[in-house]
Amino acid sequence: MGGGGKALARRDEQREAAGAAFSPPFALLSTASPLAAAQKWITEKQERFQAWMALQPVPVEAAITAGLGAIQGGVLGGLISTLSKDLQSEAAKSGAPGMDTGPPNPFLQPEGMAGGPLAQARNFAVLTGVNAGISTAMKRIRGVDDIQNSMAAAFGSGFTFSLVSSPGGPNVASALGTGAFFALIQGGFYKLGEMMPKGASSSEDIYYNQGRSMLLRLGLDRYEKNFRKGMLTDATLPLLTDSALQDVGIPPGPRLVILDHVRRDPELSKARR
């Protein structure tokens, strides 16, 4: 009887463990609407992934970010190519006026847009993947998110995009021109964004620029309001402690990530001395 009782207890423990493994999503579903529960569950997973990414070496984070960006770009490129082919086919069938049946115009059809869905998926994957990887590496290495990072990522992505999509083989001279063009365009958009009005609190933003950039790199930008609430300005970053972050309502996991970043950041470490 004793052995049977132990077996039953063991089976009960196994069922409880199995239930616990799936409890977060279903527990949320029982207390909120399915959509809100799903959004909360996804957000929690994203926070954990971003916190894990922030603890990885620069090459690892850049490689993962580039891979994810390449997947998104590949899907987008394939979708755009498929839709474009369908629209051209429908227009040709209906005899739409203005359809040019002559040789393709290179000014109307850029090199990167030539080819079938697989070719365009490859081109867009290279474009978005390289941009995401360079941008992430620059932010981690330089510790800031500025126009130099943005232009460097645009140049690298434009250069690689041109090499991959050029018909007849890679053309380095053309790729350099394309990269420079991409960088100039991105720099112009960045400057335009800086010129846009940022609201009534923009005068106070200068005291939180470094903190905002740090939280953005760590994937914890949702806690910027907590920093403002506790008046944790850029000047206080080298002095951050666990208790200070706890006082402004930041959970344990993000606190550990922030403190580890402050400890490892050369600029902040130098300011503490």
Side-chain angles (χ1 to χ4, degrees), residues 239-259:
L239 309 174
L240 285 180
T241 62
D242 184 76
S243 59
L245 295 174
Q246 185 176 7
D247 288 342
V248 297
I250 298 179
R255 292 204 306 267
L256 291 174
V257 173
I258 293 171
L259 292 174

Side-chain angles (χ1 to χ4, degrees), residues 212-230:
R212 183 190 308 110
S213 177
M214 176 189 71
L215 293 174
L216 182 63
R217 291 197 308 275
L218 299 177
L220 302 173
D221 48 300
R222 63 179 55 83
Y223 296 115
E224 181 184 347
K225 62 181 182 298
N226 301 69
F227 270 59
R228 291 179 179 271
K229 178 182 177 181

Side-chain angles (χ1 to χ4, degrees), residues 51-77:
W52 176 82
M53 285 275 284
L55 298 176
Q56 305 309 305
V58 175
V60 174
E61 183 181 8
I64 294 176
T65 305
L68 294 175
I71 293 173
Q72 294 176 352
V75 173
L76 177 62

